[in-house]
Amino acid sequence: MGTSLPPKEANLFKVIVKSYETKQYKKGLKAADSILKKFPEHGETLSMKGLTLNCMDRKSEAYDLVRRGLKNDLKSHVCWHVYGLLYRSDREYREAIKCYRNALKIDPDNIEILRDLSLLQVQMRDLIGFVETRQQLLALKPNHRMNWIGFAVAHHLNSNAPKAIDILEAYEGTLEDDYPPESERYEHGEMLLYKISLLEECGLFDRALEEMHKKEAKIVDKLAFKEQMASIVLKLGHFEEAEKMYRFLLVMNPDNYRYFIGLQKCLGLYSDKGEYTSDAIERLDALYKSLRDQYSWSSAVKRIPLDFLEGDKFQEAVDNYVRPLLTKGIPSLFSDLSPLYEHIGKASILEQLFLHLEDSIRSTGSFPGSSKKEPPSTLMWTLFLLSQHYDRLGQYDLALAKIDEAIEHTPTVIDLYSIKGRILEHAGDLPAAAALADEARSMDLADRYLNSECVMRMLQADQVGLAEKTAVLFTKDGDQHNNLHDMQCMWYELASGESYFRQGDLGHALKNFLAVEKHYSDMTEDQFDFHSYCLRKMTLRAYVSMLKFQNQLHSHEYFHKAAACAIRCYMKLHDSPSKLTTEESDEMSKLPPSQRKKMRQKQKKAEARAKKEAEERNEEETTSSGISKSGKRPNVRLVDLDPHGEKLMQVEDPLLEATKYLKLLQSNSANSLETHILSFEANMRKQKILLAFQAVKQLTKLNENDPDSHRCLIKFFHKISSFTSPVSDSEKLIWNVLEAERPQISQLNEKSLIEANKSFLEKHKDSLIHRAAAAEMLYVLEPEKKLEAIKLIEDSKNNIAVGNGTVSPVSVWKLPDCVTVHRLLETVFDDQGAASRWKARCAEYFPYSTHFGGCRSSTLTCTSNNSFKNMPENGVAACQDNNPADSHSLNGALHAIEDLKIS
């Protein structure tokens, strides 16, 4: 127990606690000062004053006071609890848990401390400790509903769902027959639905169904009740009863795809892979025809058959589906149809249909077989659809011809410019795509989506300065960086970081990529407040779902991309350290070890001092801006001490920083080839042979035919072969492991590396990227055969794709692959002649590509017109007419884009 105070001061201490709880911090501070005048070393008062100051954003003073209070009263559970709260506010959860445990040693039955400890344990996923703490809370206060529910949830999270069910049933046994009262009906219903979901999870379907029938009157959420009952009845194999339930649900919402899937399962007509027999297709067709008669207004009942129908029936169904949407003018129609392109033969049917519709509308003004005249806009939307179709197939000439005709038909439709920009982006003309996106944006300045699309196109074209100026139009107070960061605008930060990386600005690139990583850390922290809220409000199913989502949070696409790009930045820093870092390293290396250590300590102190001075300046600015009545300072934006990311580049060991993010990728994106490619590259730089070999094994396991998997395999064993004979015991152990593992790799089984490379080439001789990988490895294994390796690439043929199911020919080569090969010839082979020949060859295949200087690219058009606009900051030159006409575009007239029309 803490040191006791006289009655007057004891009452003042209660005022401090109450003021803290009600956020009246100035009042609490005043009460604390009153006590400390008489008892300046009273530990609990010092701790509470520190906690109050922490809420007023005076952290350094807060920590000093709390530590002083704890030093004066080590046996006070209040001091330890406050110290834990301080750590918790700074997200130092492990330290906070230590403080709470120390407090519980002094006061084991303190409910507040136990509750706070349980929240930290579930946040840190210490599930065993969470179960123990929740059990202790239930034992101390068994008449509290939240303690029963918390104990059940703890066991569920700890993979003990049967125990959770027993706890909930024991809790129900404590309730009276007329429970719940009207005010708690929803919460009690949610608890019952949670219990039923636990029974379903355990496979106890009979018990779950019995429970549902028994408790139906007490469950308020009737829709969730019916959905769960239909699911359980289906799993029990009562197909007729389940069919009735799903048909009833369809009456409520005939556009819910899950209900249609459930109905198909009831009738034995569902396949996870979407593969059906001809008999099953007939039955499905009959089912959806009857449903279409019943729910004629439903779009789902018309769209779903397109996935399983084939041949003439597919053509008829898609024709009926497309016509009314073209008449209405639905811009998202192609996005809706795009999954059908993955089905063999359907792309050809779609192309024939679209061309037939276009021809009929042109000649008769109506759809084939119809006497009803279509509005003029129907032709425009048909051309719009066709342009996206050809874009999807990589036939950019035809796509641009159609979209240009649509623009000429109706030049005021914004979507036409957006799609033309997208086509040009796919064709490789990024500056022209950015200009068109800006043209679309300027036609509706109040549209945030158009603004965002324009910013993305500008970043893809490396026009970072212009992109920032455009993005600021939809941010507050003109402060684009901070507002975009506060809004967690990750697509912008990723695109901006990638643009800076392409331009070699690793500081700005790292700053953007690490900002994305910070957002994911914030999301992890944001779950903290829900631990107590969800138990109190009884939103248990949503709560458990949220926790499962949080466990997989770092496997999200944006985090993977940010982490992978950050790793590449750090590896590039390791390979080519910045000049400043190199100079500092040279100076350091000249000093003796003792002085080197002192120098590093001085640098750290200087950085800490600069940070503290910046914080003090922030506090002064805050003070001058005024303090709220509660005593809390208003939010003032912190000064960015490293606006250009220079300090991020000055890390002592870039590979150590890269490893931090690599571990996150390995634990959350283990099925990604990129994860293991990065692991291989980083560990080879660090000379971690076994870890690099582990990455190679994972790559061959995931996809042994991938070009990068082949590169890593050959590079690894080629590097190993150049090592000297092992001397130390650890080297001998590594060597023995590699010797034992090599025969298990099928590609190298009784083959030399040269033979394995030839075998890989023979297996994939018709693929450009595989030939390039084999050529690169030939050069690595036999440098004297450089010309032969280059010839391997140059002998590649751009054949017409076979079996793509389209009417028009489609080439096999893709623009990104050709760009990669061009860079390979420039950098790895270091042969400018071969690179120039490849560039000229690809310029013919990709005439709109600015990278290859295609004859129809905006760069060449600008050069031929001899009319350049000033280069935007960090950007690519955009064309401007000598006599610019009025234009909506921020970048001026778009004559260079108009020149791209197909005559």
Side-chain angles (χ1 to χ4, degrees):
M1 293 295 293
T3 308
S4 59
L5 290 168
K8 181 182 177 183
E9 282 71 24
N11 288 330
L12 281 173
F13 187 82
K14 291 177 182 176
V15 171
I16 300 172
V17 175
K18 189 174 181 181
S19 299
Y20 167 73
E21 292 171 349
T22 57
K23 299 184 180 181
Q24 295 177 319
Y25 303 125
K26 288 177 75 175
K27 185 178 178 181
L29 209 57
K30 187 176 179 182
D33 289 334
S34 299
I35 297 174
L36 292 173
K37 281 180 184 178
K38 292 185 179 181
F39 303 95
E41 299 301 318
H42 186 254
E44 293 181 354
T45 306
L46 287 168
S47 295
M48 285 304 300
K49 182 179 178 181
L51 186 60
T52 304
L53 288 173
N54 181 61
C55 296
M56 298 167 70
D57 300 326
R58 292 159 66 177
K59 287 192 176 292
S60 56
E61 293 177 68
Y63 271 99
D64 290 340
L65 283 168
V66 172
R67 285 174 182 144
R68 194 172 129 209
L70 184 59
K71 185 179 178 182
N72 292 337
D73 200 348
L74 276 170
K75 292 187 177 181
S76 167
H77 71 274
V78 173
C79 293
W80 282 109
H81 189 193
V82 167
Y83 201 18
L85 290 172
L86 216 59
Y87 273 125
R88 191 183 82 177
S89 69
D90 287 337
R91 300 177 178 180
E92 296 284 348
Y93 295 140
R94 298 194 186 280
E95 294 299 319
I97 287 173
K98 290 177 186 176
C99 293
Y100 290 160
R101 291 199 181 279
N102 284 329
L104 288 170
K105 287 177 185 177
I106 300 163
D107 187 4
D109 296 336
N110 189 300
I111 288 176
E112 286 187 13
I113 299 173
L114 285 167
R115 188 176 63 245
D116 287 345
L117 175 62
S118 73
L119 298 179
L120 289 183
Q121 286 169 328
V122 69
Q123 176 76 7
M124 299 300 293
R125 299 301 190 270
D126 175 15
L127 300 177
I128 295 173
F130 183 48
V131 169
E132 292 171 355
T133 305
R134 275 290 159 191
Q135 186 172 10
Q136 199 173 346
L137 279 166
L138 179 59
L140 288 169
K141 212 167 183 180
N143 60 343
H144 200 296
R145 179 186 70 183
M146 189 172 164
N147 290 339
W148 284 95
I149 303 304
F151 190 34
V153 170
H155 276 290
H156 183 202
L157 295 176
N158 198 34
S159 304
N160 193 355
K163 184 67 175 177
I165 294 167
D166 293 340
I167 293 164
L168 291 174
E169 288 182 341
Y171 165 65
E172 286 184 88
T174 66
L175 304 176
E176 297 176 0
D177 293 338
D178 60 347
Y179 190 87
E182 192 63 33
S183 60
E184 295 181 18
R185 285 190 69 227
Y186 184 81
E187 287 84 350
H188 186 69
E190 281 295 305
M191 188 274 289
L192 293 173
L193 284 171
Y194 174 61
K195 179 187 169 185
I196 292 162
S197 70
L198 287 175
L199 289 166
E200 187 178 1
E201 187 178 315
C202 293
L204 304 172
F205 303 126
D206 287 314
R207 278 185 62 187
L209 189 59
E210 182 185 346
E211 187 76 11
M212 293 195 85
H213 286 306
K214 187 177 174 183
K215 303 290 176 62
E216 181 176 2
K218 292 187 176 183
I219 295 174
V220 178
D221 189 347
K222 296 301 181 186
L223 177 61
F225 174 83
K226 292 181 187 301
E227 289 177 340
Q228 200 156 7
M229 179 172 274
S231 172
I232 291 168
V233 170
L234 177 61
K235 289 175 181 176
L236 281 168
H238 303 164
F239 297 123
E240 290 184 8
E241 188 180 350
E243 181 186 348
K244 291 176 183 176
M245 291 179 180
Y246 277 113
R247 287 187 182 275
F248 180 79
L249 287 168
L250 281 171
V251 173
M252 299 173 69
N253 183 1
D255 279 310
N256 190 318
Y257 276 59
R258 290 188 294 114
Y259 299 163
F260 287 105
I261 291 171
L263 181 58
Q264 286 182 219
K265 287 180 178 178
C266 295
L267 298 170
L269 296 173
Y270 181 73
S271 168
D272 290 327
K273 297 180 180 179
E275 298 172 357
Y276 299 98
T277 63
S278 56
D279 179 56
I281 292 173
E282 289 290 335
R283 290 175 60 198
L284 279 169
D285 189 25
L287 170 67
Y288 278 94
K289 279 180 179 176
S290 66
L291 290 171
R292 191 158 55 246
D293 294 337
Q294 192 174 354
Y295 308 110
S296 57
W297 64 92
S298 167
S299 61
V301 80
K302 300 168 189 171
R303 172 62 184 82
I304 292 173
L306 303 185
D307 292 325
F308 60 78
L309 289 175
E310 296 174 349
D312 294 338
K313 286 190 175 181
F314 169 74
Q315 183 170 358
E316 181 186 354
V318 76
D319 189 8
N320 293 331
Y321 183 74
V322 162
R323 288 189 185 195
L325 298 180
L326 287 175
T327 303
K328 290 179 182 178
I330 306 297
S332 60
L333 174 57
F334 183 78
S335 299
D336 187 16
L337 298 175
S338 60
L340 299 175
Y341 285 76
E342 304 298 328
H343 299 229
I344 296 172
K346 289 189 177 179
S348 172
I349 295 172
L350 288 171
E351 183 170 335
Q352 291 174 352
L353 172 65
F354 297 160
L355 290 171
H356 186 45
L357 292 175
E358 179 199 13
D359 184 58
S360 178
I361 295 168
R362 283 183 191 279
S363 57
T364 65
S366 58
F367 287 126
S370 172
S371 58
K372 181 183 177 183
K373 292 292 182 181
E374 292 294 318
S377 61
T378 304
L379 176 60
M380 183 268 292
W381 289 115
T382 306
L383 293 167
F384 180 72
L385 182 63
L386 264 169
S387 68
Q388 292 174 87
H389 165 80
Y390 287 126
D391 178 41
R392 171 67 185 251
L393 300 179
Q395 297 169 289
Y396 304 119
D397 284 339
L398 290 172
L400 286 168
K402 296 298 180 185
I403 199 68
D404 283 335
E405 188 179 349
I407 291 173
E408 190 175 346
H409 183 281
T410 314
T412 56
V413 177
I414 299 173
D415 297 282
L416 301 177
Y417 298 91
S418 293
I419 291 300
K420 183 174 181 181
R422 193 173 302 169
I423 295 167
L424 287 170
E425 181 223 333
H426 296 160
D429 197 339
L430 300 178
L436 275 159
D438 189 44
E439 184 74 3
R441 177 199 66 81
S442 61
M443 293 171 75
D444 186 355
L445 296 174
D447 192 315
R448 185 189 288 269
Y449 171 77
L450 292 174
N451 182 273
S452 299
E453 186 178 45
C454 176
V455 170
M456 176 61 86
R457 295 280 177 266
M458 289 173 173
L459 291 172
Q460 289 169 341
D462 293 337
Q463 300 171 359
V464 181
L466 196 56
E468 289 178 357
K469 291 175 184 176
T470 307
V472 74
L473 298 172
F474 275 85
T475 58
K476 298 176 183 176
D477 306 323
D479 188 0
Q480 65 271 29
H481 283 298
N482 287 319
N483 272 284
L484 289 168
H485 181 78
D486 292 343
M487 291 189 292
Q488 298 184 340
C489 192
M490 288 185 278
W491 66 264
Y492 174 83
E493 288 165 333
L494 282 171
S496 181
E498 288 170 345
S499 177
Y500 280 123
F501 183 78
R502 287 192 295 269
Q503 297 175 68
D505 188 345
L506 296 184
H508 276 107
L510 268 174
K511 196 169 181 65
N512 280 283
F513 295 139
L514 298 189
V516 174
E517 189 272 336
K518 174 69 165 57
H519 295 325
Y520 280 87
S521 298
D522 290 341
M523 289 179 206
T524 302
E525 301 304 329
D526 288 343
Q527 70 178 299
F528 187 86
D529 292 331
F530 291 96
H531 298 314
S532 57
Y533 173 85
C534 291
L535 293 181
R536 190 171 68 252
K537 294 292 186 181
M538 300 290 282
T539 54
L540 305 175
R541 291 174 301 147
Y543 174 58
V544 172
S545 176
M546 184 269 291
L547 292 180
K548 289 178 180 177
F549 165 75
Q550 286 283 353
N551 291 339
Q552 302 295 321
L553 182 65
H554 287 87
S555 62
H556 190 268
E557 177 189 355
Y558 279 2
F559 178 82
H560 179 95
K561 187 182 284 190
C565 291
I567 292 167
R568 287 196 174 90
C569 287
Y570 283 124
M571 288 196 294
K572 200 166 184 180
L573 276 176
H574 173 268
D575 297 341
S576 307
S578 64
K579 187 178 179 183
L580 184 62
T581 308
T582 309
E583 290 173 358
E584 287 179 357
S585 299
D586 292 341
E587 289 177 11
M588 284 281 194
S589 61
K590 294 174 184 176
L591 297 173
S594 58
Q595 290 186 12
R596 205 181 303 160
K597 188 176 179 181
K598 288 180 182 177
M599 183 70 77
R600 286 202 180 101
Q601 288 175 345
K602 283 183 180 178
Q603 287 176 350
K604 288 179 181 177
K605 286 180 180 177
E607 287 175 8
R609 198 181 304 117
K611 189 176 180 180
K612 189 174 181 181
E613 288 173 0
E615 288 176 356
E616 288 173 355
R617 284 198 300 273
N618 283 330
E619 285 189 8
E620 288 172 7
E621 290 172 10
T622 307
T623 307
S624 62
S625 64
I627 298 176
S628 64
K629 290 181 180 179
S630 66
K632 187 168 183 177
R633 301 165 188 269
N635 290 327
V636 173
R637 204 170 297 285
L638 296 174
V639 175
D640 189 349
L641 300 175
D642 187 22
H644 304 296
E646 293 172 356
K647 289 182 180 176
L648 294 173
M649 296 173 63
Q650 295 171 17
V651 290
E652 289 184 17
D653 187 354
L655 291 182
L656 181 63
E657 296 298 318
T659 304
K660 295 176 184 176
Y661 297 101
L662 183 58
K663 286 179 179 177
L664 282 170
L665 288 182
Q666 287 173 326
S667 59
N668 293 283
S669 300
N671 292 326
S672 167
L673 283 172
E674 186 177 29
T675 297
H676 303 294
I677 292 167
L678 292 170
S679 175
F680 171 79
E681 292 179 0
N683 285 307
M684 288 301 284
R685 286 172 170 82
K686 292 162 67 178
Q687 297 295 310
K688 300 285 186 182
I689 302 302
L690 288 182
L691 290 175
F693 180 62
Q694 188 181 46
V696 170
K697 286 190 70 177
Q698 287 294 328
L699 285 168
T700 54
K701 182 180 176 182
L702 288 171
N703 186 357
E704 63 180 28
N705 295 314
D706 184 82
D708 288 318
S709 297
H710 178 70
R711 283 190 180 96
C712 293
L713 178 68
I714 300 297
K715 281 181 181 177
F716 177 79
F717 282 102
H718 178 65
K719 183 74 174 177
I720 294 301
S721 65
S722 65
F723 287 177
T724 56
S725 299
V727 178
S728 66
D729 290 340
S730 60
E731 288 176 351
K732 289 178 181 177
L733 181 62
I734 292 170
W735 195 263
N736 290 335
V737 170
L738 295 177
E739 287 294 319
E741 289 285 343
R742 177 166 176 159
Q744 298 179 24
I745 299 175
S746 59
Q747 298 93 312
L748 300 181
N749 192 15
E750 298 181 356
K751 291 180 185 176
S752 67
L753 295 180
I754 294 173
E755 289 171 340
N757 193 46
K758 285 181 180 177
S759 177
F760 181 82
L761 174 62
E762 185 63 28
K763 188 177 180 181
H764 305 286
K765 60 184 178 182
D766 295 327
S767 167
L768 172 63
I769 53 173
H770 288 83
R771 289 179 71 95
E776 183 185 350
M777 291 304 99
L778 175 62
Y779 179 49
V780 168
L781 295 171
E782 301 177 277
E784 69 278 5
K785 293 187 177 180
K786 177 180 175 180
L787 294 177
E788 182 182 336
I790 292 173
K791 191 172 185 300
L792 268 180
I793 296 174
E794 293 183 330
D795 286 348
S796 302
K797 294 181 180 179
N798 188 13
N799 299 320
I800 301 302
V802 178
N804 57 51
T806 58
V807 175
S808 309
V810 180
S811 63
V812 173
W813 286 5
K814 304 300 177 188
L815 178 60
D817 295 338
C818 292
V819 171
T820 301
V821 171
H822 181 242
R823 286 173 180 158
L824 182 72
L825 292 168
E826 277 187 324
T827 56
V828 176
F829 289 97
D830 193 20
D831 190 318
Q832 299 306 315
S836 298
R837 291 194 298 274
W838 183 258
K839 184 176 181 179
R841 184 179 177 186
C842 289
E844 295 177 9
Y845 291 126
F846 306 101
Y848 299 96
S849 169
T850 51
H851 179 87
F852 293 119
C855 60
R856 294 175 185 168
S857 67
S858 60
T859 304
L860 201 66
T861 308
C862 290
T863 307
S864 63
N865 289 338
N866 194 25
S867 53
F868 278 101
K869 186 182 179 180
N870 290 332
M871 185 84 76
E873 183 185 348
N874 295 327
V876 180
C879 297
Q880 187 179 31
D881 204 330
N882 292 329
N883 298 306
D886 291 339
S887 173
H888 294 290
S889 175
L890 182 67
N891 292 333
L894 297 178
H895 81 277
I897 313 304
E898 291 164 4
D899 289 343
L900 294 172
K901 291 183 180 179
I902 311 296
S903 55

